[in-house]
Amino acid sequence: MDLPTGQPQPMNRQWRYIGWLLAAVWLFFLNIPISTALQQPEPWRRVVGVTALVVFGLGYVLLFQWARRLRQLLLPIPAGRARVGLLVLLAVGLVSIPGTGGDWLATLVYVAAAGVFLLPPWEALVTVALCAVTPALASWLVPGWEAEHGIVFAVLLASFAMFGVSRLAQRNSELQAAQQEIGRLAVAEERARAARDLHDILGHSLTVVAIKAELAGRLIEVDTVRAAAEIAEVERLARAALADVRQTVGAYREVTLAGELAGARSALAAAGIAAELPAEVPELPREWDRLFGWTVREGVTNVVRHSGARCCTIRVRPDGVEVSDDGRGPSTPDAGAAGYGLVGLRERARRLDAVVTVGRGRDDGTGFLLRVHAPVAAR
């Protein structure tokens, strides 16, 4: 069944087929021992030789694919299983001797190459050396077998080629794993940013909604006209918060300093806190305007929620922004270490090398102060 368009395809299906082809194409060089087996006058020798070589080729391909799959997954190849696999491969090659005679030595090329791909370096080197000296020893020990110098050369060449293939396969697997990890970290970062922005947006908006709803509740029996106006404002703010959430989900909400100052004026007025705001906003680079806007949002949210202040002052300069009040001040001297909003603000400031200061705003230990300062070097 075909997968829908846009849905991820099974991992490297094309390369899976290419891997089988890479393993199987080298079996062409078994044509000499197979040809020798087919020319045997005795039927049982033909059957034993051809059957053993077919099993040998199939075993080599399966062993190669097993090891290749483990490398793709960045899993270690079990040394014990690899040794058993090589010994079985060698044993099958030896079984073919009745039908192939001395031409069975061609199977050593595949044993050496598989050893390089499967075994640790020193074991692979020993395997290659044994496969390289076996033809000379066999010609000396077995009468009628000629010294196969071509086999020795093929063993060394195939081992060297397989070493390059194994290193390339390992590097490709590591690169793929690194790309997957980078993708995972990028997704985690985006989720963290979305969560931080949602917290900041909803924390501010819902705080203002709660204050205005409380104010409307107090006014409903005293001034119904104003209470109705406050309820209408609650509805407007709720709709604006919903729109902000939708924008944040689809793409991050554009926060501006001018927009946050306007929102701060409304929030402070609803909370009954006098506001001293700048008459004009200096021209700022986009990223600094956004950072200063988040600072005003977080500072005013803290003032409205926790301060019990009567007056809040916001000062904006080209190199920084400051939010302060005359309330009870932070509960601990190290106020900057707590609060998701302040943590998010510090993360935003860190990207621009800005400095965030949070603490008490007055010498008598009262008042709240939030300042974001942009060093000259950072700007």
Side-chain angles (χ1 to χ4, degrees), residues 65-266:
Q65 284 298 103
W66 169 69
R68 180 172 174 270
R69 178 63 175 170
L70 290 177
R71 286 182 180 273
Q72 286 180 334
L73 298 176
L74 291 181
L75 297 175
I77 297 175
R81 295 184 182 181
R83 296 188 194 105
V84 170
L86 285 178
L87 289 176
V88 171
L89 206 61
L90 178 61
V92 174
L94 291 171
V95 169
S96 71
I97 290 178
T100 59
D103 288 337
W104 82 274
L105 293 170
T107 62
L108 294 177
V109 177
Y110 300 92
V111 174
V116 171
F117 198 72
L118 296 173
L119 298 177
W122 284 108
E123 293 186 35
L125 183 61
V126 171
T127 302
V128 172
L130 291 175
C131 291
V133 301
T134 296
L137 291 175
S139 65
W140 178 61
L141 295 174
V142 181
W145 286 8
E146 297 180 359
E148 295 287 348
H149 299 295
I151 296 296
V152 176
F153 177 75
V155 166
L156 297 177
L157 182 61
S159 300
F160 181 76
M162 186 57 74
F163 176 78
V165 170
S166 63
R167 297 284 82 78
L168 179 61
Q170 181 177 356
R171 295 296 181 271
N172 287 341
S173 298
E174 292 174 351
L175 177 60
Q176 183 180 9
Q179 290 173 340
Q180 292 175 350
E181 180 65 13
I182 290 172
R184 187 189 67 79
L185 292 175
V187 170
E189 175 65 18
E190 288 302 309
R191 287 175 177 173
R193 290 180 60 186
R196 183 179 63 236
D197 287 357
L198 282 172
H199 169 270
D200 292 346
I201 290 170
L202 292 179
H204 175 81
S205 300
L206 295 181
T207 297
V208 178
V209 166
I211 291 174
K212 284 186 171 292
E214 182 183 359
L215 177 61
R218 293 198 303 265
L219 293 174
I220 196 166
E221 295 181 359
V222 179
D223 189 343
T224 56
V225 175
R226 186 178 172 187
E230 294 295 337
I231 292 296
E233 183 68 9
V234 167
E235 180 182 1
R236 185 192 68 79
L237 289 172
R239 293 183 181 276
L242 179 60
D244 288 345
V245 171
R246 287 172 176 169
Q247 287 181 332
T248 302
V249 172
Y252 291 117
R253 177 180 181 269
E254 186 67 19
V255 173
T256 63
L257 178 58
E260 293 307 320
L261 286 173
R265 186 185 302 276
S266 174

